[in-house]
Amino acid sequence: MASFRLWHPSRDAYHCAFRFMRLLVAKNGTLEIERLRILDMYLLYPSLLHKASMPQDTKKLFRELAIAAPDKIFVRLPSSAAVFQDLRLYQNSAITQLMARGLFSTDDLKRRIASPPNAGWPDQLVQRAQNKNAEDGGLTSFLVGTFSEIPLTGRDSIYRKAGLPTRSIAT
């Protein structure tokens, strides 16, 4: 009998590291680690955005992306909270890997912020991230733009609007 090895980007820390870089390249700046984690989840599973509450102007921009609703895709996803918690292990590995390779600034990570190192990232890597972002139909731009303006903490936080566990903030 044949042995099959299944691969999915959600279980690949290297893929996660590249998604983080894609988001930071699109942002062209820094992001809070927790916001980066949330945006990564939606970059990986954009259909989950349908379940998130958004301000009207943000929701209008989201509809223009024409992302398939969760019930219209082949894969059945658990709740956003379950997906978010499940990704945490791989996201932690990706952050450690990027820091160890000098691709994340260790000083910023101590302050819970993700940013490229002072010397920057290799041009070839930035170009690959830009190419991939250009192919996603505007999803990355939406995530790091209007959607990422939702506050990280408070009564109307992105955690509440997305239905994510706030206990994740501390770890």
Side-chain angles (χ1 to χ4, degrees), residues 1-59:
M1 178 153 206
S3 174
F4 293 101
R5 175 176 263 174
L6 296 177
W7 175 87
H8 193 274
S10 67
R11 302 285 190 265
D12 186 342
Y14 294 103
H15 195 276
C16 182
F18 185 66
R19 292 191 311 266
F20 282 170
M21 294 179 77
R22 283 182 58 194
L23 290 163
L24 288 167
V25 164
K27 180 70 173 177
N28 196 23
T30 63
L31 285 167
E32 302 97 333
I33 293 290
E34 290 308 314
R35 186 177 307 278
L36 185 62
R37 290 177 189 278
I38 294 167
L39 298 180
D40 173 60
M41 176 185 74
Y42 287 124
L43 183 59
L44 186 59
Y45 298 112
S47 63
L48 290 176
L49 282 163
H50 286 280
K51 297 179 180 181
S53 172
M54 300 176 215
Q56 286 293 19
D57 57 333
T58 305
K59 191 67 147 180

Side-chain angles (χ1 to χ4, degrees), residues 80-108:
S80 297
V83 170
F84 185 67
Q85 291 291 83
D86 194 41
L87 285 174
R88 197 159 198 81
L89 171 71
Y90 304 98
Q91 291 173 335
N92 286 343
S93 295
I95 290 168
T96 302
Q97 174 190 99
L98 287 165
M99 187 177 61
R101 293 177 185 261
L103 298 175
F104 266 12
S105 165
T106 53
D107 292 334
D108 285 347

Side-chain angles (χ1 to χ4, degrees), residues 71-144:
D71 60 339
K72 303 289 184 205
I73 61 173
F74 177 72
V75 176
R76 295 289 178 235
L77 297 172
S79 70
S80 297
V83 170
F84 185 67
Q85 291 291 83
D86 194 41
L87 285 174
R88 197 159 198 81
L89 171 71
Y90 304 98
Q91 291 173 335
N92 286 343
S93 295
I95 290 168
T96 302
Q97 174 190 99
L98 287 165
M99 187 177 61
R101 293 177 185 261
L103 298 175
F104 266 12
S105 165
T106 53
D107 292 334
D108 285 347
L109 283 175
K110 290 176 187 173
R111 296 187 335 238
R112 308 290 297 153
I113 296 172
S115 66
N118 292 335
W121 288 330
D123 292 338
Q124 185 179 13
L125 202 51
V126 171
Q127 187 61 49
R128 283 190 62 211
Q130 289 171 336
N131 291 344
K132 193 70 173 166
N133 288 347
E135 296 170 4
D136 73 7
L139 175 63
T140 310
S141 297
F142 169 77
L143 289 173
V144 300

